[in-house]
Amino acid sequence: MAKFIGLDKDKGHAGRGKTGILLLNLGTPDAPTPAAVRRYLAEFLSDPRVVEIPKALWKLILHGIILRVRPAKSAALYREVWTDKGSPLMDISERQTQALAEKLKAEGVEAEVALAMRYGNPAVGDVLKRLHNQGVDKLVVLPLYPQYAGPTTGSAFDAIAKELTQWRYLPSLHFIHTYHDNPLFIEALAESIEADFAQHGKPQKLVLSYHGMPERNLKLGDPYYCFCIKTSRLLAERLGLAEDDVISSFQSRFGKAKWLGPYTDETMMALPKQGITDVAVACPAFSADCLETLEEIAGQNREFFEQAGGKSFRYIAALNDRPRHIEMMAELVRPYL
């Protein structure tokens, strides 16, 4: 009988067989300072999934104009939402990661649950290396972007693939690319909105503000817009709201190109002129509160609405680490465990 001399153990493969769950969000500067914001924006805006302009031309614009002007302005905005625990997005994402790990452990599931950011820290490559060193050879990736889009979910896949191309031993990989119509996601959104309605009453309009994307993306085949509209439709149906009770809009546009509409800021300025002075706003494209929800929506857009004559504006917080949200995450990854 042939003898094989413990090659698996000698080469360090006997300790493998663990499952890793990687939660992945967009990212945040390390500090609300121009220098930290400049580093973050340089990485974010250099991603060809985010800005589809010829590389040479965009490099001149980015380094010649944007990174000279925007970091100081953005740092001032970050300071408005920064807390004693640091970036709201980082703090909430860490709480989500811990809550998911505890829930799965209570169910008897053995898995390493980790957090990475597409831009900034903790970097995707660093976290994947750590999971590999912990013996993970089965990887479940959950990008926390409810509605798939190339510049978000697609870019997250790019970052995973870029790191894994350097590995000799690849893990099995399960990449969850969208959950815009997941029943537990819709239920979690509905519960958070119903809680607001119970406390403050039903507003004249419920505005669902999604992160913007260039309209060109839709024409080229990106399903993001359709997924957002489906989320709105399912949510309205679950809440028992008429089509006219809900407005879907898009925020955070950048540059001069035409983006998906209607634009949230223009909507806020127009509603009071139409007799709509009482609104509640939720942001179903954001899994955690961040600059775009806390400063742009709860801050800037509240001012736009009130300056135009609006009387009652309330922002309904993102799902963050609500139990139903964590339950949904567990349901999404559970089939691959």
Side-chain angles (χ1 to χ4, degrees), residues 77 80 264-273 279 281 293-315:
L77 298 178
E80 292 184 16
T264 299
D265 54 359
E266 293 182 356
T267 298
M268 289 301 155
M269 289 182 242
L271 284 176
K273 299 173 185 177
V279 299
V281 185
T293 62
L294 299 175
E295 193 283 326
E296 184 179 355
I297 294 299
Q300 290 183 31
N301 278 273
R302 177 191 298 274
E303 291 181 5
F304 294 150
F305 183 71
E306 292 176 347
Q307 289 171 1
K311 303 300 182 184
S312 175
F313 177 108
R314 54 191 194 266
Y315 167 64

mmCIF file of all heavy atoms in Angstrom, residues 77 80 264-273 279 281 293-315:
data_model
loop_
_atom_site.group_PDB
_atom_site.id
_atom_site.type_symbol
_atom_site.label_atom_id
_atom_site.label_comp_id
_atom_site.label_asym_id
_atom_site.label_seq_id
_atom_site.Cartn_x
_atom_site.Cartn_y
_atom_site.Cartn_z
ATOM 1 N N LEU A 77 -18.193 69.124 6.336
ATOM 2 C CA LEU A 77 -19.461 68.408 6.436
ATOM 3 C C LEU A 77 -19.321 67.171 7.322
ATOM 4 O O LEU A 77 -20.217 66.868 8.120
ATOM 5 C CB LEU A 77 -19.942 68.011 5.036
ATOM 6 C CG LEU A 77 -20.223 69.166 4.064
ATOM 7 C CD1 LEU A 77 -20.645 68.624 2.709
ATOM 8 C CD2 LEU A 77 -21.284 70.104 4.620
ATOM 9 N N GLU A 80 -19.650 67.806 10.957
ATOM 10 C CA GLU A 80 -21.005 68.017 11.455
ATOM 11 C C GLU A 80 -21.669 66.718 11.934
ATOM 12 O O GLU A 80 -22.546 66.753 12.796
ATOM 13 C CB GLU A 80 -21.863 68.658 10.369
ATOM 14 C CG GLU A 80 -21.460 70.100 10.032
ATOM 15 C CD GLU A 80 -22.389 70.729 9.018
ATOM 16 O OE1 GLU A 80 -23.500 70.184 8.809
ATOM 17 O OE2 GLU A 80 -22.017 71.762 8.421
ATOM 18 N N THR A 264 -33.808 64.737 -5.436
ATOM 19 C CA THR A 264 -34.380 64.948 -4.104
ATOM 20 C C THR A 264 -34.403 66.425 -3.725
ATOM 21 O O THR A 264 -35.414 66.925 -3.208
ATOM 22 C CB THR A 264 -33.590 64.146 -3.057
ATOM 23 O OG1 THR A 264 -33.680 62.742 -3.377
ATOM 24 C CG2 THR A 264 -34.145 64.366 -1.657
ATOM 25 N N ASP A 265 -33.310 67.146 -3.958
ATOM 26 C CA ASP A 265 -33.267 68.545 -3.532
ATOM 27 C C ASP A 265 -34.319 69.383 -4.262
ATOM 28 O O ASP A 265 -35.019 70.201 -3.647
ATOM 29 C CB ASP A 265 -31.869 69.137 -3.696
ATOM 30 C CG ASP A 265 -31.306 68.989 -5.101
ATOM 31 O OD1 ASP A 265 -31.974 68.408 -5.983
ATOM 32 O OD2 ASP A 265 -30.164 69.466 -5.332
ATOM 33 N N GLU A 266 -34.449 69.161 -5.565
ATOM 34 C CA GLU A 266 -35.461 69.906 -6.319
ATOM 35 C C GLU A 266 -36.872 69.524 -5.875
ATOM 36 O O GLU A 266 -37.782 70.367 -5.850
ATOM 37 C CB GLU A 266 -35.283 69.668 -7.817
ATOM 38 C CG GLU A 266 -33.988 70.267 -8.369
ATOM 39 C CD GLU A 266 -33.848 70.076 -9.865
ATOM 40 O OE1 GLU A 266 -34.728 69.414 -10.475
ATOM 41 O OE2 GLU A 266 -32.856 70.581 -10.436
ATOM 42 N N THR A 267 -37.060 68.254 -5.521
ATOM 43 C CA THR A 267 -38.362 67.799 -5.018
ATOM 44 C C THR A 267 -38.706 68.513 -3.722
ATOM 45 O O THR A 267 -39.846 68.969 -3.532
ATOM 46 C CB THR A 267 -38.337 66.277 -4.794
ATOM 47 O OG1 THR A 267 -38.096 65.619 -6.049
ATOM 48 C CG2 THR A 267 -39.652 65.783 -4.215
ATOM 49 N N MET A 268 -37.740 68.635 -2.832
ATOM 50 C CA MET A 268 -37.980 69.290 -1.544
ATOM 51 C C MET A 268 -38.335 70.766 -1.727
ATOM 52 O O MET A 268 -39.155 71.318 -0.980
ATOM 53 C CB MET A 268 -36.753 69.153 -0.644
ATOM 54 C CG MET A 268 -36.540 67.749 -0.133
ATOM 55 S SD MET A 268 -37.956 67.175 0.820
ATOM 56 C CE MET A 268 -37.769 65.407 0.613
ATOM 57 N N MET A 269 -37.733 71.404 -2.693
ATOM 58 C CA MET A 269 -38.022 72.819 -2.935
ATOM 59 C C MET A 269 -39.381 73.010 -3.611
ATOM 60 O O MET A 269 -40.025 74.047 -3.442
ATOM 61 C CB MET A 269 -36.924 73.422 -3.810
ATOM 62 C CG MET A 269 -35.585 73.585 -3.104
ATOM 63 S SD MET A 269 -34.358 74.352 -4.185
ATOM 64 C CE MET A 269 -33.137 73.066 -4.285
ATOM 65 N N ALA A 270 -39.831 72.003 -4.348
ATOM 66 C CA ALA A 270 -41.075 72.132 -5.108
ATOM 67 C C ALA A 270 -42.314 71.748 -4.301
ATOM 68 O O ALA A 270 -43.403 72.303 -4.525
ATOM 69 C CB ALA A 270 -40.995 71.265 -6.365
ATOM 70 N N LEU A 271 -42.202 70.816 -3.365
ATOM 71 C CA LEU A 271 -43.383 70.292 -2.671
ATOM 72 C C LEU A 271 -44.200 71.363 -1.945
ATOM 73 O O LEU A 271 -45.431 71.378 -2.066
ATOM 74 C CB LEU A 271 -42.965 69.173 -1.704
ATOM 75 C CG LEU A 271 -42.628 67.830 -2.354
ATOM 76 C CD1 LEU A 271 -42.125 66.843 -1.309
ATOM 77 C CD2 LEU A 271 -43.837 67.245 -3.085
ATOM 78 N N PRO A 272 -43.580 72.264 -1.165
ATOM 79 C CA PRO A 272 -44.409 73.262 -0.473
ATOM 80 C C PRO A 272 -45.221 74.133 -1.425
ATOM 81 O O PRO A 272 -46.338 74.561 -1.078
ATOM 82 C CB PRO A 272 -43.363 74.096 0.289
ATOM 83 C CG PRO A 272 -42.227 73.147 0.513
ATOM 84 C CD PRO A 272 -42.164 72.335 -0.748
ATOM 85 N N LYS A 273 -44.700 74.378 -2.616
ATOM 86 C CA LYS A 273 -45.436 75.178 -3.598
ATOM 87 C C LYS A 273 -46.657 74.433 -4.128
ATOM 88 O O LYS A 273 -47.555 75.031 -4.692
ATOM 89 C CB LYS A 273 -44.511 75.561 -4.746
ATOM 90 C CG LYS A 273 -43.316 76.417 -4.306
ATOM 91 C CD LYS A 273 -42.333 76.630 -5.437
ATOM 92 C CE LYS A 273 -41.098 77.386 -4.957
ATOM 93 N NZ LYS A 273 -40.074 77.546 -6.015
ATOM 94 N N VAL A 279 -43.779 66.148 5.359
ATOM 95 C CA VAL A 279 -43.186 64.988 4.706
ATOM 96 C C VAL A 279 -42.355 64.185 5.696
ATOM 97 O O VAL A 279 -41.818 64.716 6.671
ATOM 98 C CB VAL A 279 -42.281 65.392 3.510
ATOM 99 C CG1 VAL A 279 -43.070 66.131 2.444
ATOM 100 C CG2 VAL A 279 -41.080 66.211 3.974
ATOM 101 N N VAL A 281 -39.118 61.365 5.292
ATOM 102 C CA VAL A 281 -38.143 60.932 4.293
ATOM 103 C C VAL A 281 -37.382 59.723 4.816
ATOM 104 O O VAL A 281 -36.863 59.729 5.942
ATOM 105 C CB VAL A 281 -37.137 62.060 3.963
ATOM 106 C CG1 VAL A 281 -36.201 61.614 2.835
ATOM 107 C CG2 VAL A 281 -37.867 63.338 3.571
ATOM 108 N N THR A 293 -27.040 60.632 4.512
ATOM 109 C CA THR A 293 -28.357 60.657 5.160
ATOM 110 C C THR A 293 -28.415 61.709 6.259
ATOM 111 O O THR A 293 -29.369 62.476 6.351
ATOM 112 C CB THR A 293 -28.710 59.274 5.745
ATOM 113 O OG1 THR A 293 -27.757 58.917 6.761
ATOM 114 C CG2 THR A 293 -28.735 58.221 4.661
ATOM 115 N N LEU A 294 -27.390 61.777 7.076
ATOM 116 C CA LEU A 294 -27.420 62.654 8.247
ATOM 117 C C LEU A 294 -27.199 64.119 7.892
ATOM 118 O O LEU A 294 -27.845 65.003 8.469
ATOM 119 C CB LEU A 294 -26.361 62.201 9.257
ATOM 120 C CG LEU A 294 -26.537 60.782 9.797
ATOM 121 C CD1 LEU A 294 -25.371 60.411 10.679
ATOM 122 C CD2 LEU A 294 -27.852 60.655 10.563
ATOM 123 N N GLU A 295 -26.292 64.381 6.968
ATOM 124 C CA GLU A 295 -26.021 65.776 6.609
ATOM 125 C C GLU A 295 -26.813 66.205 5.385
ATOM 126 O O GLU A 295 -27.479 67.244 5.390
ATOM 127 C CB GLU A 295 -24.518 65.963 6.367
ATOM 128 C CG GLU A 295 -24.060 67.402 6.298
ATOM 129 C CD GLU A 295 -24.375 68.092 4.982
ATOM 130 O OE1 GLU A 295 -24.343 67.404 3.936
ATOM 131 O OE2 GLU A 295 -24.659 69.309 4.991
ATOM 132 N N GLU A 296 -26.793 65.375 4.337
ATOM 133 C CA GLU A 296 -27.457 65.784 3.098
ATOM 134 C C GLU A 296 -28.977 65.770 3.214
ATOM 135 O O GLU A 296 -29.643 66.718 2.786
ATOM 136 C CB GLU A 296 -27.012 64.887 1.937
ATOM 137 C CG GLU A 296 -27.580 65.310 0.605
ATOM 138 C CD GLU A 296 -27.135 64.436 -0.550
ATOM 139 O OE1 GLU A 296 -26.297 63.536 -0.334
ATOM 140 O OE2 GLU A 296 -27.639 64.637 -1.669
ATOM 141 N N ILE A 297 -29.535 64.703 3.785
ATOM 142 C CA ILE A 297 -30.999 64.608 3.879
ATOM 143 C C ILE A 297 -31.516 65.319 5.123
ATOM 144 O O ILE A 297 -32.293 66.272 5.046
ATOM 145 C CB ILE A 297 -31.448 63.137 3.869
ATOM 146 C CG1 ILE A 297 -31.122 62.497 2.513
ATOM 147 C CG2 ILE A 297 -32.954 63.042 4.147
ATOM 148 C CD1 ILE A 297 -31.799 63.147 1.331
ATOM 149 N N ALA A 298 -31.080 64.869 6.304
ATOM 150 C CA ALA A 298 -31.600 65.446 7.549
ATOM 151 C C ALA A 298 -31.145 66.883 7.755
ATOM 152 O O ALA A 298 -31.766 67.619 8.529
ATOM 153 C CB ALA A 298 -31.172 64.582 8.736
ATOM 154 N N GLY A 299 -30.087 67.292 7.052
ATOM 155 C CA GLY A 299 -29.597 68.654 7.171
ATOM 156 C C GLY A 299 -29.975 69.523 5.989
ATOM 157 O O GLY A 299 -30.916 70.314 6.053
ATOM 158 N N GLN A 300 -29.277 69.362 4.877
ATOM 159 C CA GLN A 300 -29.478 70.235 3.714
ATOM 160 C C GLN A 300 -30.897 70.198 3.179
ATOM 161 O O GLN A 300 -31.508 71.244 2.935
ATOM 162 C CB GLN A 300 -28.506 69.836 2.603
ATOM 163 C CG GLN A 300 -27.052 70.140 2.866
ATOM 164 C CD GLN A 300 -26.183 69.766 1.673
ATOM 165 O OE1 GLN A 300 -26.619 69.830 0.529
ATOM 166 N NE2 GLN A 300 -24.958 69.363 1.943
ATOM 167 N N ASN A 301 -31.410 68.981 2.973
ATOM 168 C CA ASN A 301 -32.728 68.893 2.345
ATOM 169 C C ASN A 301 -33.848 69.338 3.279
ATOM 170 O O ASN A 301 -34.885 69.820 2.822
ATOM 171 C CB ASN A 301 -32.961 67.477 1.814
ATOM 172 C CG ASN A 301 -32.304 67.277 0.457
ATOM 173 O OD1 ASN A 301 -32.893 67.566 -0.577
ATOM 174 N ND2 ASN A 301 -31.055 66.818 0.463
ATOM 175 N N ARG A 302 -33.649 69.181 4.565
ATOM 176 C CA ARG A 302 -34.598 69.758 5.518
ATOM 177 C C ARG A 302 -34.650 71.280 5.331
ATOM 178 O O ARG A 302 -35.732 71.880 5.286
ATOM 179 C CB ARG A 302 -34.174 69.429 6.949
ATOM 180 C CG ARG A 302 -35.076 70.070 8.009
ATOM 181 C CD ARG A 302 -34.464 69.946 9.387
ATOM 182 N NE ARG A 302 -34.308 68.555 9.763
ATOM 183 C CZ ARG A 302 -35.239 67.817 10.334
ATOM 184 N NH1 ARG A 302 -36.421 68.362 10.614
ATOM 185 N NH2 ARG A 302 -35.007 66.559 10.655
ATOM 186 N N GLU A 303 -33.471 71.897 5.191
ATOM 187 C CA GLU A 303 -33.426 73.353 4.991
ATOM 188 C C GLU A 303 -34.095 73.756 3.682
ATOM 189 O O GLU A 303 -34.831 74.749 3.640
ATOM 190 C CB GLU A 303 -31.969 73.823 5.017
ATOM 191 C CG GLU A 303 -31.308 73.713 6.387
ATOM 192 C CD GLU A 303 -29.870 74.205 6.364
ATOM 193 O OE1 GLU A 303 -29.430 74.715 5.312
ATOM 194 O OE2 GLU A 303 -29.180 74.059 7.390
ATOM 195 N N PHE A 304 -33.839 72.993 2.619
ATOM 196 C CA PHE A 304 -34.479 73.311 1.334
ATOM 197 C C PHE A 304 -35.998 73.310 1.488
ATOM 198 O O PHE A 304 -36.700 74.193 0.992
ATOM 199 C CB PHE A 304 -34.066 72.308 0.264
ATOM 200 C CG PHE A 304 -32.619 72.354 -0.115
ATOM 201 C CD1 PHE A 304 -31.966 71.206 -0.539
ATOM 202 C CD2 PHE A 304 -31.894 73.532 -0.059
ATOM 203 C CE1 PHE A 304 -30.635 71.240 -0.899
ATOM 204 C CE2 PHE A 304 -30.557 73.579 -0.420
ATOM 205 C CZ PHE A 304 -29.921 72.428 -0.839
ATOM 206 N N PHE A 305 -36.502 72.285 2.164
ATOM 207 C CA PHE A 305 -37.949 72.117 2.338
ATOM 208 C C PHE A 305 -38.529 73.247 3.185
ATOM 209 O O PHE A 305 -39.550 73.856 2.814
ATOM 210 C CB PHE A 305 -38.219 70.759 2.988
ATOM 211 C CG PHE A 305 -39.671 70.425 3.171
ATOM 212 C CD1 PHE A 305 -40.483 70.129 2.076
ATOM 213 C CD2 PHE A 305 -40.235 70.395 4.438
ATOM 214 C CE1 PHE A 305 -41.820 69.807 2.251
ATOM 215 C CE2 PHE A 305 -41.570 70.069 4.618
ATOM 216 C CZ PHE A 305 -42.363 69.781 3.527
ATOM 217 N N GLU A 306 -37.891 73.561 4.285
ATOM 218 C CA GLU A 306 -38.421 74.580 5.191
ATOM 219 C C GLU A 306 -38.309 75.970 4.589
ATOM 220 O O GLU A 306 -39.204 76.800 4.751
ATOM 221 C CB GLU A 306 -37.699 74.494 6.533
ATOM 222 C CG GLU A 306 -38.019 73.212 7.293
ATOM 223 C CD GLU A 306 -37.231 73.067 8.583
ATOM 224 O OE1 GLU A 306 -36.255 73.841 8.775
ATOM 225 O OE2 GLU A 306 -37.571 72.177 9.389
ATOM 226 N N GLN A 307 -37.208 76.230 3.881
ATOM 227 C CA GLN A 307 -37.056 77.536 3.244
ATOM 228 C C GLN A 307 -38.089 77.758 2.140
ATOM 229 O O GLN A 307 -38.452 78.895 1.838
ATOM 230 C CB GLN A 307 -35.641 77.676 2.679
ATOM 231 C CG GLN A 307 -34.571 77.833 3.753
ATOM 232 C CD GLN A 307 -33.169 77.746 3.213
ATOM 233 O OE1 GLN A 307 -32.951 77.589 2.004
ATOM 234 N NE2 GLN A 307 -32.180 77.829 4.085
ATOM 235 N N ALA A 308 -38.567 76.661 1.556
ATOM 236 C CA ALA A 308 -39.587 76.759 0.510
ATOM 237 C C ALA A 308 -40.996 76.853 1.085
ATOM 238 O O ALA A 308 -41.967 76.968 0.336
ATOM 239 C CB ALA A 308 -39.479 75.566 -0.440
ATOM 240 N N GLY A 309 -41.120 76.770 2.421
ATOM 241 C CA GLY A 309 -42.432 76.882 3.050
ATOM 242 C C GLY A 309 -42.921 75.624 3.730
ATOM 243 O O GLY A 309 -44.050 75.594 4.242
ATOM 244 N N GLY A 310 -42.099 74.563 3.750
ATOM 245 C CA GLY A 310 -42.492 73.331 4.422
ATOM 246 C C GLY A 310 -42.581 73.514 5.929
ATOM 247 O O GLY A 310 -41.813 74.281 6.516
ATOM 248 N N LYS A 311 -43.505 72.813 6.563
ATOM 249 C CA LYS A 311 -43.735 72.970 8.000
ATOM 250 C C LYS A 311 -43.181 71.808 8.823
ATOM 251 O O LYS A 311 -42.681 72.009 9.916
ATOM 252 C CB LYS A 311 -45.242 73.103 8.274
ATOM 253 C CG LYS A 311 -45.920 74.257 7.531
ATOM 254 C CD LYS A 311 -45.327 75.599 7.905
ATOM 255 C CE LYS A 311 -46.063 76.731 7.194
ATOM 256 N NZ LYS A 311 -45.451 78.055 7.460
ATOM 257 N N SER A 312 -43.311 70.595 8.305
ATOM 258 C CA SER A 312 -42.901 69.422 9.081
ATOM 259 C C SER A 312 -42.065 68.489 8.198
ATOM 260 O O SER A 312 -42.562 67.941 7.217
ATOM 261 C CB SER A 312 -44.135 68.679 9.609
ATOM 262 O OG SER A 312 -43.751 67.484 10.270
ATOM 263 N N PHE A 313 -40.801 68.342 8.571
ATOM 264 C CA PHE A 313 -39.881 67.452 7.857
ATOM 265 C C PHE A 313 -39.271 66.513 8.889
ATOM 266 O O PHE A 313 -38.734 66.953 9.896
ATOM 267 C CB PHE A 313 -38.780 68.275 7.184
ATOM 268 C CG PHE A 313 -37.727 67.450 6.465
ATOM 269 C CD1 PHE A 313 -37.684 67.424 5.079
ATOM 270 C CD2 PHE A 313 -36.769 66.722 7.163
ATOM 271 C CE1 PHE A 313 -36.714 66.681 4.413
ATOM 272 C CE2 PHE A 313 -35.810 65.969 6.503
ATOM 273 C CZ PHE A 313 -35.775 65.960 5.126
ATOM 274 N N ARG A 314 -39.360 65.226 8.653
ATOM 275 C CA ARG A 314 -38.696 64.296 9.553
ATOM 276 C C ARG A 314 -37.978 63.222 8.740
ATOM 277 O O ARG A 314 -38.504 62.701 7.756
ATOM 278 C CB ARG A 314 -39.667 63.684 10.539
ATOM 279 C CG ARG A 314 -40.885 63.019 9.933
ATOM 280 C CD ARG A 314 -41.875 62.702 11.043
ATOM 281 N NE ARG A 314 -42.919 61.797 10.629
ATOM 282 C CZ ARG A 314 -44.112 62.193 10.177
ATOM 283 N NH1 ARG A 314 -44.387 63.490 10.094
ATOM 284 N NH2 ARG A 314 -45.026 61.303 9.837
ATOM 285 N N TYR A 315 -36.755 62.949 9.163
ATOM 286 C CA TYR A 315 -35.952 61.907 8.530
ATOM 287 C C TYR A 315 -36.094 60.622 9.330
ATOM 288 O O TYR A 315 -35.916 60.626 10.563
ATOM 289 C CB TYR A 315 -34.481 62.325 8.455
ATOM 290 C CG TYR A 315 -33.581 61.163 8.102
ATOM 291 C CD1 TYR A 315 -33.711 60.533 6.867
ATOM 292 C CD2 TYR A 315 -32.656 60.678 9.012
ATOM 293 C CE1 TYR A 315 -32.925 59.429 6.540
ATOM 294 C CE2 TYR A 315 -31.863 59.590 8.701
ATOM 295 C CZ TYR A 315 -31.995 58.962 7.466
ATOM 296 O OH TYR A 315 -31.233 57.877 7.159
#
